[in-house]
Amino acid sequence: MKISVIGTGYVGLVTGTCFAEMGNTVTCVDIDQQKIDNLKKGIIPIYEPGLEEMVLANHKKGTLNFSTDIKAALENTTICFIAVGTPMGEDGSADLQYVLAVAKSIGTHMTHHMYVVDKSTVPVGTAEKVRQAIQAELDTRQSTLTFDVISNPEFLKEGAAIDDFMKPDRVVIGADNKNAEEVMHRLYAPFTKSHDRFIAMDIKSAEMTKYTANAMLATKISFMNEIANICERVGADVNKVRIGIGSDRRIGYSFIYPGCGYGGSCFPKDVQALAKTSKDFGYTPRILDAVEAVNYDQKSVLSNKVVARFGEDLSGKTFAVWGLAFKPETDDMREASAITIINELTQRGAKVQAYDPKARHEAESHYLKGNASVTYTDGKYDALKGADAMILVTEWKEFRSPDFDEMKALLKTSVIFDGRNQYDRAQMENLGFEYFQIGV
């Protein structure tokens, strides 16, 4: 099939690349000329395992193309995915200005029947707004062209997005007619050959499914972090509690690991957007509000432990921070706990020596730009040199089995604050570390 994908961010680039991998002809469109020029040169704007190789291979074959010309892209495609950003507005709602701007462009430039697919994460009712925006432009043109609007939410995990797209748990499609549903079924058939995971439903239910999935996962995280905070106060070990409840198949082990809060481009934004939608329709979402509140506080748990150990005034203290990205296998720092932790420490006078295998550029150029109290190192051990303590924020694989003897030799004091409960407490204490975890 011939496909256009509008937006070459995380979702758009993965979507377009994976469709091209299956033999479709794809044009990815973006208004950012520099980004498009870089993509044509093989420079990928994000880190995602396996993505660069797949982009380069399909671009070389001619099945994956990049352009800033939406008019030309639409002339040659019948299915158009909208995959632009929906940033969080000041009131917590999803900002739809970019989605609706694309819809307007589609209405302006389309020359034949089109299937317009909402791939961006959008609140319930967005498909109708997209429909209205396209139709308004067609009416202005006095055109009788027809189109379908379809909801196809993405369920990609950063760090495993290629695998998630190529071997999906499910493909959710919201359509209002069988023909549109069938077109999408044919498009996704190569991805679901071993098991038919195609789930068709009405458009509003499809839009709601995406938010509900992310809100449910965020709820599990905040719930477990709340249990961790209770465990600390009553003298229980949340790591043992996690094993005890995870063995119940009704609960399972996924997303019940205590830590220093969730971040990223999805959970924080989607929980708040769903809560805002709920309130707009006259319902107060008490659980969603609590999930967000718990997560907000959880991002300060590690810095609070540091202050309890070293005092409110951290002048003259240096802390090594391992991990900046919101999770391993990505360079994404949006809403990352490391931002909160580092800013809270440096505001108290501390200096920070930070290491992350992928997110350093994001920190330096954007998220911690201007914080003169932060320096960056090329290796994890370099960050420890002369530091008063190490703070583990992101659970990268290379942090799982470090050389603890070397760590002790490099640290000024053998103190570790573990925000992801990566190490065994008894072992750390036997090694002579003063060891702080979450929920113990």
Side-chain angles (χ1 to χ4, degrees):
M1 293 184 176
K2 294 182 178 181
I3 301 165
S4 55
V5 179
I6 315 303
T8 58
Y10 179 80
V11 172
L13 189 56
V14 170
T15 297
T17 302
C18 290
F19 279 134
E21 180 74 5
M22 285 301 191
N24 298 286
T25 301
V26 181
T27 301
C28 289
V29 180
D30 204 291
I31 60 173
D32 187 334
Q33 184 69 59
Q34 184 64 53
K35 183 186 285 188
I36 292 299
D37 289 344
N38 284 341
L39 283 166
K40 289 179 178 178
K41 297 173 185 175
I43 300 172
I44 312 303
I46 58 173
Y47 173 71
E48 178 63 37
L51 179 61
E52 181 176 356
E53 297 85 348
M54 197 177 284
V55 169
L56 294 175
N58 284 283
H59 184 54
K60 184 176 181 179
K61 286 189 293 186
T63 54
L64 180 62
N65 303 289
F66 304 103
S67 176
T68 57
D69 189 346
I70 189 171
K71 180 180 179 181
L74 294 178
E75 285 175 354
N76 297 312
T77 55
T78 54
I79 303 175
C80 178
F81 284 84
I82 301 177
V84 293
T86 53
M88 186 166 56
E90 291 184 5
D91 61 355
S93 63
D95 186 347
L96 298 177
Q97 63 172 311
Y98 305 113
V99 170
L100 297 180
V102 172
K104 183 177 180 181
S105 293
I106 292 171
T108 300
H109 298 301
M110 62 184 284
T111 58
H112 50 266
H113 183 89
M114 296 209 68
Y115 299 94
V116 180
V117 186
D118 285 334
K119 196 67 172 173
S120 301
T121 300
V122 294
V124 176
T126 299
E128 186 55 37
K129 292 179 181 179
V130 168
R131 189 190 310 278
Q132 291 171 0
I134 296 173
Q135 190 60 55
E137 293 305 309
L138 291 175
D139 290 345
T140 299
R141 294 168 54 189
Q142 297 183 327
S143 171
T144 58
L145 288 172
T146 57
F147 62 95
D148 289 291
V149 177
I150 300 163
S151 176
N152 173 215
E154 54 87 12
F155 300 98
L156 306 177
K157 299 186 296 291
E158 292 193 44
I162 297 296
D163 207 41
D164 286 344
F165 201 104
M166 300 298 285
K167 295 180 285 186
D169 292 328
R170 76 282 207 198
V171 175
V172 173
I173 297 297
D176 59 10
N177 66 79
K178 285 292 183 182
N179 182 58
E181 182 183 313
E182 180 56 32
V183 167
M184 297 302 290
H185 195 282
R186 291 202 305 272
L187 177 63
Y188 276 104
F191 300 91
T192 58
K193 277 194 173 296
S194 58
H195 296 89
D196 190 356
R197 303 182 187 278
F198 191 86
I199 304 171
M201 59 185 71
D202 63 277
I203 292 174
K204 287 187 176 180
S205 295
E207 292 172 331
M208 189 68 178
T209 297
K210 168 63 176 178
Y211 278 107
T212 303
N214 280 350
M216 183 67 211
L217 297 175
T219 299
K220 292 184 73 174
I221 294 171
S222 279
F223 175 80
M224 205 62 203
N225 282 334
E226 182 140 278
I227 294 300
N229 295 333
I230 296 171
C231 283
E232 281 195 26
R233 286 156 177 80
V234 302
D237 184 338
V238 72
N239 300 305
K240 296 174 181 177
V241 173
R242 177 183 61 79
I243 295 170
I245 67 170
S247 59
D248 186 329
R249 285 178 293 179
R250 296 170 301 173
I251 298 172
Y253 290 103
S254 298
F255 289 85
I256 61 168
Y257 289 82
C260 49
Y262 60 75
S265 63
C266 294
F267 289 4
K269 176 172 67 72
D270 293 355
V271 169
Q272 292 184 47
L274 183 55
K276 177 62 168 56
T277 297
S278 175
K279 291 168 185 175
D280 287 344
F281 281 82
Y283 180 77
T284 301
R286 289 168 290 178
I287 292 177
L288 295 179
D289 286 345
V291 168
E292 174 63 22
V294 168
N295 191 61
Y296 179 86
D297 290 342
Q298 198 68 18
K299 291 183 178 182
S300 297
V301 165
L302 274 187
S303 52
N304 290 341
K305 289 178 181 290
V306 172
V307 169
R309 169 62 176 78
F310 288 98
E312 282 286 346
D313 184 1
L314 298 177
S315 300
K317 301 295 183 183
T318 299
F319 297 99
V321 171
W322 281 8
L324 297 168
F326 87 93
K327 62 179 285 188
E329 299 301 328
T330 182
D331 60 354
D332 194 344
M333 281 189 65
R334 283 174 287 186
E335 303 289 334
S337 299
I339 301 170
T340 299
I341 294 164
I342 290 172
N343 284 335
E344 288 183 350
L345 296 179
T346 57
Q347 285 165 9
R348 288 180 167 88
K351 292 188 180 301
V352 168
Q353 297 170 176
Y355 168 71
D356 188 286
K358 295 296 178 183
R360 173 176 176 169
H361 175 73
E362 293 296 306
E364 286 182 307
S365 63
H366 184 61
Y367 294 99
L368 294 169
K369 183 180 180 180
N371 191 333
S373 297
V374 183
T375 57
Y376 302 90
T377 66
D378 295 327
K380 59 181 180 287
Y381 297 119
D382 293 332
L384 301 176
K385 293 176 180 177
D388 292 278
M390 186 273 274
I391 304 169
L392 193 154
V393 182
T394 311
E395 62 275 33
W396 286 93
K397 289 179 182 177
E398 67 174 273
F399 300 156
R400 291 181 184 176
S401 299
D403 186 331
F404 291 114
D405 290 333
E406 184 169 358
M407 291 176 68
K408 286 186 71 175
L410 293 170
L411 287 167
K412 190 182 297 183
T413 53
S414 301
V415 180
I416 292 178
F417 297 91
D418 186 351
R420 300 299 176 184
N421 291 8
Q422 291 292 286
Y423 311 130
D424 179 76
R425 184 181 184 85
Q427 178 192 10
M428 297 305 292
E429 291 176 347
N430 287 336
L431 289 170
F433 283 97
E434 192 174 346
Y435 183 59
F436 299 86
Q437 285 184 296
I438 304 291
V440 181

